């Protein structure tokens, strides 16, 4: 039985999640579900129209984060973000389009039937979310497929997700599903266990007021930022995964993934939940904004009170 066939019996696993700030649930998604998600991801890559694409790359550096209009208006669409090393200075793709995309986002969970089934229409996921009791009324603001292409799939530097999906108080929770085998050489995730308790959210990713894209806004003084950055870090744990494994990622836990240096892709499907605005403030500074046509998706139609 997969680890969640009987999640009500796995209280210790929930304790482990609270202790480490992340949890790997082996085989949460079945082979059939993974096959469908992977096939659909590849189909979306085949459908990628490169003619009209503005060549937006997914860049993650502190001073160089993606922030053009194509990115900022992608919350209610299915859009494609390229690998930095897949495009030359003139905007020419250096590889086949299927091997040039870093990720596809950010409304797969709403717009695509296969991803919707794995997310908003998934009873097992709903049971898990209820058992976790992380949120009162979870909403899903975004989803994406990260393809981590062979040889060039970019490094994702150390970060925590509440920096990027900021609410007050912080409430982000990541769900990350391996669609392929994840190894040390193709960019498996690694985590700093317990860092969700020791590392506060000290900055947030915002839309810049002058319309010039995105940047980071400090939430603490430079002294506090310096003190937090200087704290001894401890040791990162690499979590290799099999297709179908689900990794729960607390919004404050530090994690990262290395560049894919291998001949194998590392497709993953990931989405996040945050608390609804009834319990946590989500403001207009966040890069990702709900629209009138597509408000953030509620996971439960009714809220359980207990
Ligand atoms: O898939 C990856 O390599 C990184 C994912 C990640 O860090 C995230 O979703 O927060």
């Amino acid at each position: 039985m997969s680890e969640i066939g009987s999640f009500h019996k796995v209280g210790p696993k929930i304790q482990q999640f609270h202790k480490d700030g992340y949890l790997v649930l082996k085989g949460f998604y079945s082979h059939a579900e993974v096959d469908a998600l992977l096939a659909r991801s590849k189909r979306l890559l085949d459908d990628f129209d490169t003619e009209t694409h503005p060549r937006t790359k997914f860049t993650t550096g502190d001073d160089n984060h993606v922030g053009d209009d194509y990115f900022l208006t992608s919350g209610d669409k299915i859009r494609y973000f390229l690998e930095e090393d897949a495009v030359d200075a003139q905007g020419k793709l250096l590889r086949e389009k299927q091997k040039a995309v870093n990720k596809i986002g950010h409304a797969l969970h709403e717009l695509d039937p296969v991803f919707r089934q794995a997310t908003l229409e998934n009873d097992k996921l709903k049971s898990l979310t209820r058992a976790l009791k992380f949120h009162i009324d979870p909403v899903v603001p975004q989803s994406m497929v990260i393809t981590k292409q062979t040889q060039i799939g970019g490094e994702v530097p150390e970060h925590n997700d509440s920096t990027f999906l900021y609410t007050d108080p912080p409430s982000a929770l990541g769900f990350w599903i391996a669609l392929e085998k994840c190894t040390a050489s193709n960019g498996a995730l690694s985590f700093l266990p317990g860092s969700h308790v020791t590392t506060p959210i000290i900055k947030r990713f915002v839309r810049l007021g002058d319309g010039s894209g995105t940047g980071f806004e400090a939430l603490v003084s430079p002294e506090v930022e310096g003190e937090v950055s200087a704290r001894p870090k401890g040791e990162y744990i690499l979590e290799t995964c099999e297709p179908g494994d689900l990794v729960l990622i607390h919004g404050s836990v530090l994690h990262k993934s290395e560049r894919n240096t291998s001949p194998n892709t590392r497709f993953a499907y990931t989405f996040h939940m945050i608390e609804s605005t009834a319990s946590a403030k989500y403001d207009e500074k966040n890069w990702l904004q709900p629209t009138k046509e597509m408000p953030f998706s509620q996971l439960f139609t009714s809220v359980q009170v207990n």
Side-chain angles (χ1 to χ4, degrees), residues 268-290:
Y269 172 52
T270 181
F271 56 89
H272 288 82
M273 293 184 197
I274 55 173
E275 193 63 90
S276 75
T277 50
S279 309
K281 186 169 171 235
Y282 191 93
D283 66 29
E284 65 289 341
K285 285 187 188 172
N286 280 325
W287 82 266
L288 178 65
Q289 291 298 319

Side-chain angles (χ1 to χ4, degrees), residues 43-55:
R43 176 69 194 272
L44 288 171
L45 290 175
D46 290 341
D47 292 347
F48 174 27
D49 175 8
T50 56
E51 292 301 312
T52 55
H53 189 267
R55 299 296 182 259

Side-chain angles (χ1 to χ4, degrees), residues 144 146 148 156 159 161 176 187 189 249 255 257 266 270 272:
M144 53 200 149
I146 302 174
K148 208 81 160 176
V156 177
H159 68 282
D161 293 346
W176 187 98
L189 295 177
I249 306 175
H255 59 289
S257 67
R266 196 230 60 190
T270 181
H272 288 82

Side-chain angles (χ1 to χ4, degrees), residues 16-90:
Q16 189 75 33
F17 168 74
H18 287 296
K19 178 169 167 284
D20 291 341
Y22 75 97
L23 179 65
V24 183
L25 291 166
K26 294 276 172 206
F28 184 87
Y29 284 84
S30 68
H31 292 307
E33 287 170 315
V34 169
D35 289 350
L37 289 165
L38 191 57
R40 190 68 196 150
S41 305
K42 291 184 175 171
R43 176 69 194 272
L44 288 171
L45 290 175
D46 290 341
D47 292 347
F48 174 27
D49 175 8
T50 56
E51 292 301 312
T52 55
H53 189 267
R55 299 296 182 259
T56 306
K57 293 170 248 166
F58 188 68
T59 46
T60 52
D62 267 9
D63 305 322
N64 177 30
H65 208 292
V66 58
D68 66 359
D69 197 54
Y70 183 79
F71 174 73
L72 291 175
T73 57
S74 64
D76 57 357
K77 301 181 186 68
I78 296 176
R79 285 191 165 166
Y80 301 81
F81 302 94
L82 297 166
E83 274 298 347
E84 269 197 285
D85 291 351
V87 193
D88 73 10
Q90 284 70 47

Side-chain angles (χ1 to χ4, degrees), residues 195-213:
S195 53
H196 63 306
V197 177
T198 55
T199 316
I201 305 300
I202 56 173
K203 61 183 179 181
R204 59 181 288 199
F205 184 61
V206 293
R207 288 176 180 238
L208 297 175
D210 60 3
S212 65

